[in-house]
Amino acid sequence: MIRRAMRAGVPLGLLAALALPALALAKGDGDSLGAYDKGALVETTLINTLWVLVAAVLVLFMQAGFAMLEIGFSRQKNAGSGVAKILTNLSIAALAYWSVGFALAFGVDDSVSGLFGTDGFFLQDYEDAVPSEALAEAGVVNGDPRAAFPVMGLSDASIEAKWLFQFAFCAVSLAIVWGTTLERIKYMAYVAYAVVFSAIIYPVGSHWVFGGGWLQESVGMQDFAGSTAVHLIGATGALAALLLLGPRKNKFGPDRKARAIPGHSMPLVGLGTIILFIGWFGFNAGSTFNVEDLRFAEVAVVTLLGGAGGVIGAFVATTVFQKTIDIGMVANGMIGGLVAITAPSGYVESWSAPIIGLVAGVIVVAGVLAIEKRLDDPVGALSAHGLAGVWGTLSCGIFTSPRLAQYNAFGEESGGLWYSGSFAQLGHQALGVVVVFTFVLVLSLATFALIKATIGLRVEDEAEDAGLDIVEHGMYGYPEQFIPLPEIGAASHGPAAPGGFGNGAAAPEPAGSHAMSAKGATA
Amino acid sequence: MIRRAMRAGVPLGLLAALALPALALAKGDGDSLGAYDKGALVETTLINTLWVLVAAVLVLFMQAGFAMLEIGFSRQKNAGSGVAKILTNLSIAALAYWSVGFALAFGVDDSVSGLFGTDGFFLQDYEDAVPSEALAEAGVVNGDPRAAFPVMGLSDASIEAKWLFQFAFCAVSLAIVWGTTLERIKYMAYVAYAVVFSAIIYPVGSHWVFGGGWLQESVGMQDFAGSTAVHLIGATGALAALLLLGPRKNKFGPDRKARAIPGHSMPLVGLGTIILFIGWFGFNAGSTFNVEDLRFAEVAVVTLLGGAGGVIGAFVATTVFQKTIDIGMVANGMIGGLVAITAPSGYVESWSAPIIGLVAGVIVVAGVLAIEKRLDDPVGALSAHGLAGVWGTLSCGIFTSPRLAQYNAFGEESGGLWYSGSFAQLGHQALGVVVVFTFVLVLSLATFALIKATIGLRVEDEAEDAGLDIVEHGMYGYPEQFIPLPEIGAASHGPAAPGGFGNGAAAPEPAGSHAMSAKGATA
Amino acid sequence: MIRRAMRAGVPLGLLAALALPALALAKGDGDSLGAYDKGALVETTLINTLWVLVAAVLVLFMQAGFAMLEIGFSRQKNAGSGVAKILTNLSIAALAYWSVGFALAFGVDDSVSGLFGTDGFFLQDYEDAVPSEALAEAGVVNGDPRAAFPVMGLSDASIEAKWLFQFAFCAVSLAIVWGTTLERIKYMAYVAYAVVFSAIIYPVGSHWVFGGGWLQESVGMQDFAGSTAVHLIGATGALAALLLLGPRKNKFGPDRKARAIPGHSMPLVGLGTIILFIGWFGFNAGSTFNVEDLRFAEVAVVTLLGGAGGVIGAFVATTVFQKTIDIGMVANGMIGGLVAITAPSGYVESWSAPIIGLVAGVIVVAGVLAIEKRLDDPVGALSAHGLAGVWGTLSCGIFTSPRLAQYNAFGEESGGLWYSGSFAQLGHQALGVVVVFTFVLVLSLATFALIKATIGLRVEDEAEDAGLDIVEHGMYGYPEQFIPLPEIGAASHGPAAPGGFGNGAAAPEPAGSHAMSAKGATA
């Protein structure tokens, strides 16, 4: 009964959330258009906005990457659920980040000591924003969105493009969370956590790291595009979920040893990985928010080299540790390399990138092998996004180049350990990692505990056996693998093709019985 | 015999069509290059052209989305045919739209009272074009392509980029048509309709709505990126096809009740949906044709919010109406939300977008459930592109903001019902929908009737049982699901993997019999 | 033993290669940033760099296209291996092309008579580069990367963007190689050839054709985007591999006639083809390296028309030659059309494009049918990339327009045979094809022969039967197709769905036995 009530209640909650936008309708959008009418747009605004928008689209495409990766690592009986999941979460996050999240992540935070932003809900209530001195010198006036979102005010790209880009980051972080929960979590638990995550947890955590918050401004933590702010936050949410959810049935045998539960499609895993790789060029290179200084192309090269290093590191590690070339490990090696290079991509010279990636690749393989002894993480997200995210963040403390630290104006001017001989930057990085991990873990554990106590977190045993597709969705992701053929439109399968058949002639025999043998079954 | 003759005849017709370009070879292309040599290119031309080209590529990518969506909603025995279909149709449309369609859609239409354009075939015969007063003031001279294609002359992007973008729209509209015809239409019927659709039906219909034709100029219909001009036109063609084609065998039981014939792969449906979502950022935001006023980023945000609303609307509706979370419904909800926001994306403030999308999502689910009682539309295109397209077009009549109506300079200056309290714009929208629907339905019914009487529209019963792949293509889309293993290269399947196997050792036993058991069959 | 040693040795070699970058760490990157600080960036640099970077990302996305295409044309038992292969090769190529390849391909070659470049390793050691007269006039100074990479110095886009673009080309060429080797080559043979190919064979070959080498500068060969330099080079490597590797088991029967071994998934083939199509807009249109003259949009249109012609040519040819519409042939027709239009895309008027594509489509089908009588090329790469590449290169000799030959400043100013009545350009093209083919074939045969003698080229018979996935990777690409269900997490499959099941109720019976019948097997 409670479950049914929740099932009805959550949609109602969503509808309520949707009513919120109506509150904001008094004001028009039109900021950019107004500036255009006044002839106030400067030329770099156009090209910077174009780049940020294109980069945002690349990052949004990563949703397809996560979907294919997670579906590929699931068994067939749970493959369809991932489709509905990714679309629902993306949509919830869009509304939550638009109405609330972005303001918390990038709004002016002076009144709350840098803890979170307090302006810019619905991309609208920033007419009172006063620019900082530096921005005022650059011509930013009161009420300009650049005044309202100070960190991103350094780029003159339009606020809508920047919002889309930052939303895409939020959606990536959220997608990472589900990796550990495959094949057993309740659909409605997804929905509920997605609201909290994209409205509060991710915005506040990322604000501290790269939204102008205290870790960035006061501690001097460096995280160019989000090894911590996006990947570690997602992986920490994933860990919290896993701790309360437990492993899939039969993952651990009576001897407590882990058994492999292979995903159903490596081709989909491969497709997902390459899509993520492509998206990363928007992710890291777009984090420059402008093209004016041409750094975006340098960041793109560094990103490629990091990803390449990750593959080679994982390839070597899987060959050595597993005596075979594990396909999932190679794919996770690329992801780990890219995750690791994300924080340093705007801080290091290109020679460091393959090294950072290589180490990440080894860490990912070793991490998966170590973690799976205790925890059931079907996709390896804890390792590829979590451990590699930590390593990538720390690697700034080693490899950050003085000229780039100074250019970005965050952290030690003397650069990382390699250049400065000092552990100072490494210390800032480590502090940032610990703080963010703790913050996200505590809030996520609390959220999931609440969900567990109300909606429930895990499907029942029999449902797990049957698969989420049939239980949550009333259908199969691959119906022809599960439903006896006569039920899928009678006689739906063709006969095996004998020699001369196939140039348009009709099927020579009733198809029903052939269909069976065509599936490889004999009586 | 006739069938064989047609099979030979259509390719010959294509060859003939291909000979046409040779007629145009007297003139070189080189317009842009000439302008460059003369130093006549203005700076915004470069960035506007770049944006339109990038947007065009995003829209072209939607072909992969439609392919995956339609293949995923097909049964395995018809999965391969969709591959050949999408590539063939795309190619036919490219040649037809280049040689004829674009001129009809966007050429100067003064001599035929706004019914269709009469210049610009092969992107070449526009040397006599005279610019309108407004364009002449903007520096456009006689023979400039901007003079030849007046509506798009408002942007200074190069004509080749604009052509590519508009062609991509035509290809999207054509791809929508096939959704209703899956699993039973003859391949050659596709080919024939594709020629007529992309050379005549789509160009003329879209000319009226957003090519400067009478619905846009005289009636004041608003359709920013094609809820009607692209999506409803495609869905109407799909309806015409379906009316003459009838349902798949066994779709309706002896009791006349519809039975589910589930598609074979929800993961492919999900992939297709996300690719369509990505393409929509080019589709809507590219319809600005420039970056100068920065509206393209605003349109992108509105598009995202509309799609998100669509998912949530469909999610709520499927939960309420179907007591489960139907995966296909959630996917179609996103598509419906995006279809609906397409017309208003350049006319409404962002607060309206989630509402327009939410309503669309509910309409899509209700529409699919209502339509499938009578008609067999395997992908839900009538609902997701048709009903949502109608709703999206009408929604301009409600939500269009006065400032944007004035800026775009089409329709009532006082905006939609919400702002003006007047039903005037809603009336214009409704008229436009009725006119376009009727026009496309009549022409499409006539075309399909002609095809039915000559080539034939539907494969034979036995062929439908056997599947289009083997019958039309002489092969299977998934051969290993249908062909007994020994025929696919003898002993092609490996044994089940026992424990210690896998580090390079050879297979321990003859593979043949194992292969059978590996497929899950036992004697 | 030797095999085990090699298995260990190759990773060690990779680690050694990775140590190389460390040699380059003395210098910072920072060239572009320095220029920015000095205010020396001109405005076109920004937009040209943006376009080259976006184009590079599109070309990189083609890796997903090749992966899906090659996996789709493989049998299920070899499907997973393709995933690891594409990621590993991409990564090896990234490091090899960064450290060595790019310098050989585009560096100053004066000291070695145009044979290969000698500067620019690690994108760094070009501080001594002296610009050519033409570049010096354009304001290029000593040590500017534009001085170091003369051919690309004609564009002012940043060197990092250009490198990324050229690397993506190298990765495409490398991906083409593996098409002929599917389902039987050793994984480590891939790895070894990838190093040689991306560090030496591709760079030197492409240098001659479009890197400023002797075929381009002295002979006057025209190849705008690489019909020869990328596609023929890849296909020639593929031929070399095939000659030493031999056909798959049972490809040729005791009667020496070829038997079809169909790939397992046409949907993946279709997805791959469309992704390649999309990538080609970056490939050809990006080869302008700038947007200033707006040619990039013209090249994009020509590319589309070429691809469309290819599909229609192949569609007609398969209908005529095979009496059916072979799906793989239609897909390869698109690829062949695109390959063919690649060389002429910057040299011909748009009317020629569909003709060049149409001929390519016919050649591809005829080529596949002729080649498969003797050689086992599972994907048709020899035809689609090789023969179509040759045709495309030769087609410049026929269709090159005088105005574009003059604008590009390579080859005969009077254009191709059609315009000039002269066979001169055709002769240059033929010479180029013969030279490059011979060079790549000899070097590749030598490399593969060396690999065969050490690592070994082909897996053992039993391994070929069992499939590369289980043998090389210790796992299956599609585990549920091969592993008895109880081993994949006990009772992992759900029951067939009876009527009322699916709204959340638990599975009514033990799932194990049902799972079997759900696969379509009966006792």
Side-chain angles (χ1 to χ4, degrees):
Chain A
M1 272 311 283
I2 288 174
R3 188 149 164 267
R4 297 242 161 156
M6 292 310 305
R7 209 173 246 261
V10 175
L12 288 175
L14 285 168
L15 280 172
L18 207 60
L20 277 176
L23 298 178
L25 63 80
K27 285 163 281 191
D29 300 347
D31 171 78
S32 307
L33 206 51
Y36 175 66
D37 285 344
K38 283 177 269 175
L41 286 182
V42 293
E43 185 188 304
T44 53
T45 295
L46 302 186
I47 193 163
N48 289 338
T49 303
L50 178 56
W51 167 233
V52 173
L53 188 98
V54 169
V57 172
L58 286 172
V59 180
L60 285 171
F61 189 34
M62 294 173 80
Q63 294 296 309
F66 284 108
M68 293 301 105
L69 194 79
E70 296 187 5
I71 289 171
F73 276 129
S74 300
R75 282 165 291 180
Q76 292 189 50
K77 64 179 179 177
N78 299 309
S81 190
V83 171
K85 179 191 78 176
I86 202 97
L87 298 177
T88 307
N89 283 340
L90 176 68
S91 300
I92 290 171
L95 296 180
Y97 200 74
W98 172 60
S99 54
V100 178
F102 186 67
L104 298 186
F106 290 98
V108 174
D109 62 4
D110 298 340
S111 62
V112 290
S113 311
L115 282 181
F116 51 86
T118 55
D119 283 330
F121 298 94
F122 298 106
L123 272 182
Q124 288 189 331
D125 63 341
Y126 44 73
E127 62 286 335
D128 302 327
V130 178
S132 66
E133 268 182 53
L135 288 173
E137 272 177 38
V140 175
V141 297
N142 289 11
D144 184 318
R146 294 173 67 187
F149 306 102
V151 163
M152 283 187 309
L154 301 169
S155 153
D156 61 6
S158 90
I159 190 63
E160 288 84 6
K162 289 173 191 164
W163 179 85
L164 195 70
F165 185 79
Q166 294 297 351
F167 160 66
F169 271 48
C170 174
V172 163
S173 196
L174 179 57
I176 293 166
V177 175
W178 309 120
T180 57
T181 70
L182 296 182
E183 309 202 306
R184 60 215 192 271
I185 199 168
K186 277 190 180 172
Y187 199 86
M188 285 300 168
Y190 283 160
V191 166
Y193 183 72
V195 174
V196 180
F197 183 86
S198 50
I200 298 171
I201 297 176
Y202 172 77
V204 174
S206 65
H207 177 71
W208 295 354
V209 179
F210 63 24
W214 64 282
L215 287 174
Q216 183 178 31
E217 299 279 359
S218 309
V219 173
M221 180 183 183
Q222 297 170 339
D223 185 0
F224 191 70
S227 290
T228 287
V230 179
H231 296 279
L232 179 58
I233 285 183
T236 306
L239 175 63
L242 180 51
L243 291 176
L244 292 179
L245 194 58
R248 287 170 291 179
K249 283 182 69 175
N250 301 304
K251 173 67 188 176
F252 297 98
D255 56 356
R256 303 209 172 173
K257 284 197 178 158
R259 299 192 300 187
I261 303 182
H264 84 285
S265 172
M266 286 305 109
L268 292 187
V269 168
L271 176 62
T273 303
I274 301 177
I275 291 174
L276 291 175
F277 165 73
I278 292 301
W280 237 289
F281 289 97
F283 204 95
N284 287 2
S287 290
T288 58
F289 287 102
N290 75 68
V291 301
E292 284 171 79
D293 55 10
L294 292 181
R295 284 180 70 206
F296 73 121
E298 296 180 15
V299 172
V301 171
V302 163
T303 299
L304 173 71
L305 296 175
V311 169
I312 292 176
F315 171 64
V316 171
T318 180
T319 306
V320 171
F321 298 159
Q322 299 179 286
K323 313 289 178 220
T324 187
I325 306 160
D326 187 286
I327 298 164
M329 290 294 195
V330 172
N332 267 324
M334 170 161 273
I335 295 170
L338 292 165
V339 166
I341 202 64
T342 295
S345 60
Y347 284 97
V348 302
E349 308 295 341
S350 57
W351 66 267
S352 323
I355 298 169
I356 292 169
L358 182 88
V359 173
V362 174
I363 286 174
V364 165
V365 174
V368 167
L369 296 176
I371 289 168
E372 79 167 0
K373 288 182 185 160
R374 300 275 179 154
L375 297 171
D376 178 17
D377 173 10
V379 306
L382 296 180
S383 192
H385 295 277
L387 297 182
V390 170
W391 157 241
T393 308
L394 295 178
S395 77
C396 288
I398 302 173
F399 295 107
T400 285
S401 149
R403 78 174 176 103
L404 290 166
Q406 291 159 29
Y407 188 79
N408 292 320
F410 293 116
E412 301 292 320
E413 296 204 343
S414 56
L417 178 62
W418 176 271
Y419 293 94
S420 66
S422 154
F423 285 84
Q425 189 62 44
L426 201 53
H428 305 333
Q429 302 298 103
L431 176 62
V433 165
V434 170
V435 166
V436 172
F437 174 77
T438 308
F439 168 76
V440 175
L441 187 67
V442 169
L443 247 69
S444 295
L445 281 173
T447 307
F448 279 119
L450 187 65
I451 292 170
K452 193 170 184 174
T454 53
I455 303 174
L457 204 54
R458 184 169 182 139
V459 298
E460 286 157 50
D461 254 29
E462 296 84 351
E464 189 175 341
D465 285 341
L468 302 181
D469 288 359
I470 194 65
V471 172
E472 297 264 29
H473 305 282
M475 61 193 293
Y476 285 106
Y478 296 106
E480 291 176 61
Q481 310 305 316
F482 293 99
I483 305 177
L485 296 172
E487 293 190 16
I488 310 188
S492 66
H493 273 272
F501 183 59
N503 52 359
E509 291 177 51
S513 60
H514 267 80
M516 289 300 176
S517 66
K519 300 282 286 186
T522 49
Chain B
M1 272 309 285
I2 287 173
R3 188 150 165 266
R4 297 243 159 154
M6 292 311 305
R7 207 172 248 263
V10 175
L12 287 175
L14 285 169
L15 280 172
L18 207 61
L20 276 176
L23 297 178
L25 62 80
K27 285 163 279 190
D29 300 348
D31 170 80
S32 307
L33 205 51
Y36 176 64
D37 285 344
K38 283 177 269 176
L41 287 182
V42 294
E43 188 187 303
T44 53
T45 295
L46 302 186
I47 193 165
N48 289 338
T49 303
L50 178 55
W51 168 233
V52 174
L53 188 99
V54 169
V57 172
L58 286 172
V59 181
L60 285 171
F61 189 34
M62 294 172 80
Q63 295 294 310
F66 284 107
M68 293 301 105
L69 193 78
E70 297 187 5
I71 289 170
F73 276 128
S74 300
R75 283 165 290 179
Q76 291 190 48
K77 63 179 179 177
N78 300 308
S81 190
V83 170
K85 180 191 77 176
I86 202 97
L87 297 177
T88 306
N89 284 340
L90 176 70
S91 301
I92 290 171
L95 296 180
Y97 200 73
W98 172 60
S99 54
V100 177
F102 185 67
L104 298 186
F106 290 98
V108 174
D109 62 5
D110 298 340
S111 62
V112 291
S113 311
L115 284 180
F116 52 85
T118 55
D119 283 329
F121 299 93
F122 298 106
L123 272 183
Q124 286 190 330
D125 63 340
Y126 43 73
E127 62 285 335
D128 302 328
V130 179
S132 67
E133 268 182 53
L135 289 173
E137 271 175 39
V140 175
V141 296
N142 288 10
D144 184 317
R146 295 174 67 187
F149 305 102
V151 163
M152 284 188 307
L154 300 169
S155 152
D156 61 6
S158 89
I159 190 63
E160 288 83 7
K162 289 174 191 163
W163 180 85
L164 195 70
F165 185 78
Q166 294 296 353
F167 159 66
F169 270 48
C170 173
V172 163
S173 195
L174 179 57
I176 293 166
V177 176
W178 309 120
T180 58
T181 70
L182 295 182
E183 309 204 306
R184 60 217 192 271
I185 200 169
K186 277 190 180 173
Y187 199 86
M188 284 300 168
Y190 284 159
V191 166
Y193 183 73
V195 174
V196 180
F197 183 86
S198 51
I200 297 171
I201 296 175
Y202 172 77
V204 174
S206 65
H207 177 71
W208 296 355
V209 179
F210 62 25
W214 65 281
L215 286 174
Q216 182 177 33
E217 299 279 359
S218 308
V219 173
M221 180 183 183
Q222 297 170 340
D223 186 0
F224 191 70
S227 290
T228 286
V230 178
H231 295 279
L232 180 58
I233 285 183
T236 307
L239 175 62
L242 180 50
L243 291 176
L244 293 178
L245 194 58
R248 288 169 291 178
K249 283 182 70 175
N250 302 304
K251 173 66 189 177
F252 296 100
D255 56 355
R256 303 210 171 173
K257 285 199 178 158
R259 299 191 299 188
I261 304 183
H264 83 285
S265 172
M266 286 305 109
L268 292 188
V269 168
L271 177 62
T273 302
I274 302 177
I275 291 174
L276 290 176
F277 166 72
I278 292 301
W280 237 289
F281 290 97
F283 203 94
N284 288 1
S287 290
T288 58
F289 289 102
N290 75 67
V291 300
E292 284 171 80
D293 56 10
L294 291 182
R295 285 180 70 205
F296 74 121
E298 296 180 15
V299 173
V301 171
V302 164
T303 299
L304 173 71
L305 295 175
V311 169
I312 292 175
F315 170 63
V316 171
T318 182
T319 305
V320 171
F321 298 159
Q322 300 180 285
K323 313 289 177 219
T324 187
I325 305 160
D326 186 285
I327 298 163
M329 290 294 194
V330 173
N332 267 326
M334 171 161 272
I335 294 171
L338 292 166
V339 166
I341 202 63
T342 295
S345 60
Y347 284 96
V348 301
E349 307 296 339
S350 58
W351 66 267
S352 324
I355 298 169
I356 293 170
L358 182 88
V359 173
V362 174
I363 287 175
V364 165
V365 174
V368 166
L369 295 176
I371 289 169
E372 81 168 0
K373 288 181 184 160
R374 299 275 180 154
L375 297 171
D376 179 17
D377 172 11
V379 308
L382 296 180
S383 193
H385 296 278
L387 298 182
V390 170
W391 156 243
T393 308
L394 295 178
S395 77
C396 288
I398 302 172
F399 295 107
T400 285
S401 152
R403 78 174 177 103
L404 291 165
Q406 291 159 26
Y407 187 79
N408 291 321
F410 293 115
E412 301 293 320
E413 296 205 343
S414 56
L417 179 61
W418 177 270
Y419 294 94
S420 65
S422 154
F423 285 84
Q425 189 62 44
L426 200 53
H428 306 334
Q429 302 299 103
L431 177 61
V433 164
V434 170
V435 166
V436 172
F437 174 77
T438 308
F439 168 76
V440 175
L441 187 67
V442 169
L443 247 70
S444 294
L445 281 172
T447 307
F448 279 119
L450 187 65
I451 292 171
K452 193 170 183 175
T454 52
I455 302 173
L457 205 53
R458 184 167 181 140
V459 298
E460 286 157 50
D461 256 29
E462 297 85 350
E464 190 175 341
D465 285 341
L468 301 180
D469 287 359
I470 193 66
V471 172
E472 297 265 29
H473 305 283
M475 59 194 294
Y476 285 106
Y478 296 107
E480 291 176 61
Q481 310 305 317
F482 293 99
I483 306 177
L485 296 172
E487 292 189 15
I488 310 188
S492 66
H493 273 272
F501 184 60
N503 53 358
E509 291 179 48
S513 59
H514 266 80
M516 289 299 175
S517 67
K519 302 280 285 187
T522 49
Chain C
M1 274 309 284
I2 286 174
R3 189 149 164 268
R4 298 241 161 156
M6 292 310 305
R7 211 171 244 262
V10 175
L12 288 174
L14 285 169
L15 280 172
L18 207 60
L20 276 176
L23 298 177
L25 63 80
K27 284 163 280 190
D29 300 346
D31 171 79
S32 307
L33 206 50
Y36 176 65
D37 285 344
K38 282 177 269 175
L41 285 183
V42 293
E43 186 189 303
T44 54
T45 294
L46 302 186
I47 192 164
N48 289 337
T49 302
L50 178 56
W51 167 234
V52 174
L53 188 98
V54 169
V57 172
L58 285 172
V59 181
L60 285 171
F61 189 34
M62 294 173 80
Q63 295 295 308
F66 284 108
M68 293 301 105
L69 194 79
E70 297 187 4
I71 289 170
F73 275 129
S74 301
R75 284 166 290 180
Q76 291 189 48
K77 64 181 180 176
N78 299 307
S81 189
V83 171
K85 179 191 78 177
I86 203 95
L87 298 176
T88 306
N89 283 339
L90 177 69
S91 301
I92 290 171
L95 297 179
Y97 199 74
W98 172 60
S99 55
V100 177
F102 185 66
L104 297 187
F106 291 98
V108 174
D109 62 5
D110 298 340
S111 61
V112 290
S113 312
L115 283 181
F116 52 85
T118 55
D119 282 329
F121 299 93
F122 298 105
L123 273 182
Q124 287 189 329
D125 62 342
Y126 44 71
E127 61 286 333
D128 302 327
V130 179
S132 67
E133 268 183 52
L135 289 173
E137 272 176 38
V140 175
V141 297
N142 289 10
D144 184 316
R146 294 174 66 188
F149 305 101
V151 163
M152 283 187 308
L154 300 169
S155 153
D156 60 6
S158 90
I159 190 63
E160 288 83 6
K162 290 175 191 162
W163 179 84
L164 195 70
F165 186 79
Q166 294 297 352
F167 160 65
F169 271 49
C170 174
V172 164
S173 195
L174 178 57
I176 293 166
V177 176
W178 310 120
T180 58
T181 69
L182 296 181
E183 309 202 305
R184 61 220 193 267
I185 200 169
K186 278 190 180 174
Y187 199 86
M188 285 299 169
Y190 284 160
V191 166
Y193 183 73
V195 173
V196 179
F197 183 86
S198 51
I200 298 171
I201 296 176
Y202 172 77
V204 173
S206 65
H207 178 71
W208 296 355
V209 179
F210 63 25
W214 64 280
L215 286 174
Q216 183 177 33
E217 298 278 1
S218 309
V219 173
M221 181 182 182
Q222 297 170 339
D223 186 1
F224 191 70
S227 290
T228 287
V230 177
H231 296 279
L232 180 58
I233 285 182
T236 306
L239 175 63
L242 180 51
L243 291 176
L244 293 179
L245 193 58
R248 287 170 291 179
K249 281 181 73 174
N250 301 304
K251 173 66 188 176
F252 296 99
D255 56 356
R256 303 208 170 174
K257 285 198 177 158
R259 300 192 297 187
I261 303 183
H264 84 285
S265 173
M266 286 305 108
L268 292 188
V269 167
L271 176 62
T273 302
I274 302 177
I275 292 174
L276 289 176
F277 166 73
I278 292 302
W280 237 288
F281 289 97
F283 204 94
N284 287 1
S287 290
T288 58
F289 287 102
N290 74 70
V291 300
E292 284 172 80
D293 56 10
L294 291 181
R295 285 181 70 205
F296 74 121
E298 296 180 15
V299 172
V301 171
V302 163
T303 299
L304 173 71
L305 295 175
V311 169
I312 292 176
F315 170 63
V316 171
T318 181
T319 306
V320 172
F321 298 160
Q322 300 180 284
K323 314 289 177 219
T324 188
I325 305 160
D326 186 286
I327 298 164
M329 289 295 193
V330 172
N332 267 324
M334 171 160 272
I335 294 171
L338 292 165
V339 166
I341 202 63
T342 295
S345 60
Y347 283 97
V348 301
E349 307 296 340
S350 57
W351 66 267
S352 323
I355 298 169
I356 293 170
L358 182 88
V359 173
V362 175
I363 287 175
V364 165
V365 174
V368 166
L369 295 176
I371 289 169
E372 80 168 359
K373 289 182 185 161
R374 300 277 179 151
L375 297 171
D376 179 17
D377 173 10
V379 307
L382 296 180
S383 193
H385 295 277
L387 297 182
V390 169
W391 157 242
T393 307
L394 294 178
S395 77
C396 287
I398 302 173
F399 295 106
T400 284
S401 151
R403 78 175 176 103
L404 291 166
Q406 290 158 28
Y407 187 78
N408 291 322
F410 292 116
E412 301 292 320
E413 295 203 343
S414 56
L417 178 60
W418 176 269
Y419 293 94
S420 65
S422 153
F423 285 84
Q425 189 62 44
L426 201 52
H428 306 334
Q429 301 299 103
L431 177 61
V433 165
V434 170
V435 165
V436 171
F437 174 76
T438 308
F439 168 76
V440 175
L441 187 67
V442 169
L443 247 69
S444 294
L445 281 173
T447 307
F448 279 119
L450 186 64
I451 292 169
K452 192 171 183 175
T454 52
I455 302 172
L457 204 53
R458 184 168 182 140
V459 297
E460 284 158 51
D461 255 29
E462 296 85 351
E464 190 175 341
D465 286 341
L468 302 181
D469 287 359
I470 194 67
V471 172
E472 297 264 28
H473 305 283
M475 59 192 295
Y476 285 104
Y478 295 107
E480 290 176 60
Q481 310 306 318
F482 293 99
I483 306 176
L485 296 172
E487 292 191 14
I488 310 188
S492 66
H493 272 272
F501 183 61
N503 54 357
E509 291 177 50
S513 60
H514 267 79
M516 289 300 176
S517 67
K519 301 281 286 187
T522 50

